[in-house]
Structures are given as structure tokens and as C-alpha cells.
Amino acid sequence: MGPAALLLLLPLFGLPPTRAAPENDEILCLPGLMKQPAFRQYSGYLNVAGGKHLHYWFVESQKDPQSSPVVLWLNGGPGCSSLDGLLTEHGPFLIQPDGNTLEYNPYSWNLNANVLYLESPAGVGFSYSDDKNYVTNDTEVAQNNYEALQEFFRLFPEFSSNQLFLTGESYAGIYIPTLAMLVMQDPSMNLQGLAVGNGLSCYEQNDNSLVYFAYYHGLLGNRLWSALQTHCCAQGRCNFHDNQDPNCTMNLLEVSRIVSNSGLNIYNLYAPCAGGVPGHARHEKDTLVIQDMGNLFTRLPIKRMLQQTLMRTGERVRLDPPCTNTTAPSTYLNNPYVRKALHIPEQVPRWDMCNFVVNSNYLRLYSTMNAQYLKLLSAQKYRILVYNGDVDMACNFMGDEWFVDSLNQKVEVQRRPWLVSDGSGEQIAGFVKEFANMAFLTIKGAGHMVPTDKPQAALTMFTRFLRKEPY
């Protein structure tokens, strides 16, 4: 029997499909690891329309990648890198403070999933555009991310029938539902659900709830609270989002200053601020460092003026997440040996955690994700998880809970504690409320980056979500 006939017979014997993954993208030796991993990983570019090249880093599941789901992960900003999720949150290895060493993460999300970390939009991290034009908007980003997924499955056809989950954090509260709108119309993708952590779901509910969160966590004091009640509230309803009363605006500027610029860690109220209490902006050598993502109190006129002024100064500006030490991941990813291992072309600029140009030019088209969630829920076949660390102020748990409640879905399991075993017995990990195809879940004591603060609870939640197990 000739070789051609043998090839025709192979499918009959149930042999595993040949791997089609792009060999040139495989990471063969990653600097910083004592021992290279047993699972395969890839880094390269997914090319989309308009000459855009989105950098991806794909880590296969540590057990049975062929049958494990494919999970897309996006960090938010807008303008921040998803490699933050990989190297500091739930990737298989975490960057150490020296900026050179990686340690294996016992709570990695690729223990039972193939995870695709995508740096989006173009201009973020190692992603770039041929024309170097980094002005974009919510609709274009959703389309680019969808095209990147199509390209991923073209390069990795062996995963195209696996279950697909879209997940992300923060401004991915916008990225993920808008992307899901496109993916749900594509029968070639096996979309099963989405999970959004500490997501920006609705600007109005985020702003309104934050003022209550701040007051009841002891940040505002009675004088300011009374003034807010007087100037921002009427007939038992408060508007802390787009109130036109000048006295209310003044009071909200004070709230914004306390929450964002006083030195509190906006991402975790009870965590220290890395590097100590900062000013709103600081200089490092020839670079102005800004620490405001621009997602809170967006209707305050002074916030918009400040952003526009900074863009006109012409000096080099770096956008850093507030109270976050980005030195270690930046040191690691800008190491020439690491860049070579990740197949990053030499002409691609240095890696930064967040990109000021992308963030400040970003056009926000949606004020709420209400319509997107209702469309997804009406299909009655996707499972949706909205989860929040309960001490985050950037996208606080109360605003997201209000948002989920406003979708008016049928409650199946009333709000109750969910448990995780910590070796000494079971502990309350947070609270969960379950609807027909959706759950809202809090993680007790976690901030904005849930897997960083509570890795075991985060992995437990993620695994139960993927397996459709009760929380």
C-alpha cells in the first residue's frame, strides 16, 4: 500500500489530527524560567484590516488542550496590555519584582483552558499599525478583535471546534459584549459564553454607585455627604453622573480628588499605593507620567479639559495604571532576549503597560452595555458571568450589580455566599446571585485585578464557570 493510501486511511483509525499551529510562532525557550513548560505556547501577530498587526500570546492548556476550551482574555484601559493579565494575574508564570525571573503560578487559568492573550487595539503593547494611526473607537475595536479571532482559528484550525469563551477585565466590560455581538453571528465559532471582571458596564451606574461606595467605606465624611445630598439629589434620587448643578459639580470634583488623586489605591481600597502617595502627574527623566484612565466622572468638564491640554503639550507622555508598579513587566518585556523569544520585530517600539495616545484618542461610543447583554441573553444559549472584587473603586461591585439587576432577568438562585476551600476548611469567597443564563458574583477582599489579589478564589470561580458547575 502506497503512502497516499495510508494517509487516506488515517482518519479511520481515530488518530489525533495533525497540528497546524504556526511553527514560527512557537516559543521554544522563554527567558526567566528555571525550567521550560511542558505545555506549548506561541507568540506572534494576528493581522487584521487596515494594516493592523495585533500581538498575541497563546498558552495551551496544561491538560488535554485538544478538548479544553479556548478562552480569549482582554485587559482594558482603554489602551492597556493584556500581557498584564498573563504576567501579573492568571498566566502560567508570573513576573517577579526583579523584572528578570518568572515563577510558575499554581493558580494559572491555563490549568484547564487554552488561553489567548491579545494586545488590543493596535498601538497597545507590541501591537502596531503600518500607518501608525492609533485613533480608534468601540466599533472598530470590536471588528478588529473579531478579525483577530478569525485569523487565530485560521492559524490554529485544530482548535476551531473547541468551546470558545470571551473574557476580560475593566474596559473589556465594553470590549467583550461588543465583540460577542459579532462572534454570535458566526457559526464557525463555538461561542459558549463570556465573563467580565470588574467591568465598565454603564458609566452612569458606575459613577452613581461609586459615590455611595466611597461614603460608606469612610472616605467622604458627613460635611461632603450632606452637600452632595443637597446639591445632587432630588425626590429621593441622586444624579452623580451628569448633574448640571454647579454646586454638585464642585462636590463631585472633591469626590473625584479623594478617590482618584489623594493617594488611595483606586484598584484596591485596602492595598497600599505602590511607590507611596503620588501626585496626579509626575516627571521621570524626559517623560510626563499620567495616572488617570479617564473612566470615572467623564461628564465633569474639568476632566475633559485636562486630557486635551496634555495632548497639546507635545512632550513624551506615559500612561501608568495608578498605584501600580509597572517596572517589572516593562523590564522583562523590553529585554531584547525576551522580545526575540516572543518573535517581536525590531522596529516595534518599546512595550509599555498602557498607551497614552490610544487612551486619549479613543472614541467611546457606548454609555451602557444594556442592549448587548439583552441580545446575548435573548439567545438563551450563552452563559454570562459578571464578577467583581468588592474593594475596587475603578469599577465598583455595586455599579455592576445595579447593572445586572437592571437587565430584569429571572432570578433562579437568590444572593448567597459561595465557598472556596483554603486547606483548613471552607471559607466564604464572596457572594453570588444567579439568573437563568447569567450570574453576578463578588470576590471578598479582592480589588480590580481579582486573580492578583485572590488567585485561588479566582481560579475556583473560573473553573466552575467553564464547567457549568454551581458556584
Side-chain angles (χ1 to χ4, degrees), residues 96-372:
Q96 299 305 294
D98 63 6
N100 293 311
T101 316
L102 297 175
E103 293 285 346
Y104 280 95
N105 175 10
Y107 304 108
S108 173
W109 284 14
N110 87 321
L111 285 168
N112 42 34
N114 304 291
V115 188
L116 171 63
Y117 296 88
L118 182 67
E119 295 198 282
S120 170
V124 172
F126 290 130
S127 296
Y128 66 98
S129 175
D130 292 337
D131 63 8
K132 297 185 170 54
N133 173 9
Y134 298 121
V135 177
T136 190
N137 61 63
D138 291 327
T139 303
E140 187 175 49
V141 168
Q143 181 63 32
N144 289 163
N145 289 341
Y146 171 58
E147 288 173 18
L149 268 181
Q150 287 179 308
E151 178 72 354
F152 171 79
F153 287 121
R154 191 183 70 74
L155 293 175
F156 294 85
E158 64 271 33
F159 291 109
S160 57
S161 61
N162 294 42
Q163 292 192 331
L164 172 65
F165 292 90
L166 309 177
T167 68
E169 176 179 280
S170 194
Y171 199 82
I174 308 285
Y175 291 159
I176 293 297
T178 52
L179 171 61
M181 292 286 90
L182 300 173
V183 174
M184 74 187 288
Q185 296 167 49
D186 185 342
S188 76
M189 294 188 195
N190 185 12
L191 181 64
Q192 295 294 306
L194 50 147
V196 172
N198 290 76
L200 181 59
S201 306
C202 170
Y203 287 92
E204 183 176 2
Q205 283 162 325
N206 198 38
D207 286 351
N208 279 335
S209 58
L210 176 59
V211 181
Y212 288 100
F213 180 100
Y215 176 63
Y216 287 108
H217 280 81
L219 307 185
L220 304 186
N222 286 335
R223 177 197 57 80
L224 179 54
W225 181 244
S226 297
L228 287 160
Q229 298 296 301
T230 303
H231 301 300
C232 307
C233 308
Q235 279 109 39
R237 283 183 67 85
C238 297
N239 176 6
F240 302 126
H241 171 59
D242 57 359
N243 203 309
Q244 300 302 305
D245 183 307
N247 289 313
C248 175
T249 303
M250 288 300 296
N251 296 144
L252 288 173
L253 275 172
E254 178 70 0
V255 174
S256 179
R257 189 193 64 75
I258 292 166
V259 168
S260 307
N261 301 325
S262 66
L264 291 172
N265 186 335
I266 192 170
Y267 293 136
N268 184 329
L269 173 57
Y270 298 128
C273 187
V277 174
H280 175 60
R282 68 178 191 276
H283 277 88
E284 276 183 17
K285 296 183 188 145
D286 59 343
T287 302
L288 177 66
V289 181
I290 303 296
Q291 300 195 294
D292 183 357
M293 295 293 157
N295 294 323
L296 296 177
F297 302 117
T298 51
R299 302 296 177 91
L300 285 177
I302 198 161
K303 305 256 301 191
R304 287 205 293 272
M305 274 163 39
L306 184 69
Q307 197 82 314
Q308 285 156 357
T309 309
L310 286 168
M311 289 186 65
R312 285 197 292 267
T313 60
E315 67 179 315
R316 178 173 153 74
V317 179
R318 191 176 85 229
L319 178 67
D320 257 3
C323 292
T324 305
N325 186 348
T326 61
T327 306
S330 294
T331 302
Y332 182 75
L333 290 167
N334 289 309
N335 177 325
Y337 295 105
V338 173
R339 284 178 59 124
K340 196 167 175 3
L342 298 178
H343 318 114
I344 307 302
E346 280 185 18
Q347 72 272 20
V348 172
R350 62 170 272 117
W351 185 92
D352 282 321
M353 182 71 80
C354 301
N355 185 303
F356 176 71
V357 174
V358 172
N359 176 275
S360 49
N361 286 301
Y362 193 96
L363 186 59
R364 301 154 189 266
L365 300 177
Y366 298 101
S367 57
T368 175
M369 284 289 103
N370 189 284
Q372 286 77 6

Side-chain angles (χ1 to χ4, degrees), residues 333-447:
L333 290 167
N334 289 309
N335 177 325
Y337 295 105
V338 173
R339 284 178 59 124
K340 196 167 175 3
L342 298 178
H343 318 114
I344 307 302
E346 280 185 18
Q347 72 272 20
V348 172
R350 62 170 272 117
W351 185 92
D352 282 321
M353 182 71 80
C354 301
N355 185 303
F356 176 71
V357 174
V358 172
N359 176 275
S360 49
N361 286 301
Y362 193 96
L363 186 59
R364 301 154 189 266
L365 300 177
Y366 298 101
S367 57
T368 175
M369 284 289 103
N370 189 284
Q372 286 77 6
Y373 275 99
L374 289 175
K375 180 96 184 284
L376 287 157
L377 287 162
S378 70
Q380 296 189 342
K381 62 178 180 179
Y382 306 116
R383 54 185 180 277
I384 299 176
L385 171 63
V386 173
Y387 67 91
N388 285 68
D390 66 7
V391 293
D392 173 34
M393 298 191 290
C395 296
N396 74 86
F397 79 92
M398 201 188 317
D400 277 327
E401 186 162 16
W402 288 358
F403 172 77
V404 170
D405 284 346
S406 75
L407 299 172
N408 293 317
Q409 299 300 295
K410 180 173 177 289
V411 178
E412 293 206 331
V413 182
Q414 289 293 351
R415 201 173 196 272
R416 62 171 177 84
W418 67 282
L419 307 177
V420 66
S421 176
D422 71 349
S424 64
E426 294 205 305
Q427 299 289 344
I428 291 182
F431 293 84
V432 62
K433 178 161 53 179
E434 295 180 62
F435 305 85
N437 290 290
M438 188 174 196
F440 172 77
L441 179 146
T442 65
I443 300 88
K444 181 171 70 73

Side-chain angles (χ1 to χ4, degrees), residues 36-58:
Q36 293 302 309
F39 57 86
R40 292 186 182 219
Q41 53 173 337
Y42 299 82
S43 166
Y45 284 89
L46 302 173
N47 303 319
V48 302
K52 295 184 174 123
H53 311 277
L54 301 187
H55 173 247
Y56 79 92
W57 188 336
F58 176 57

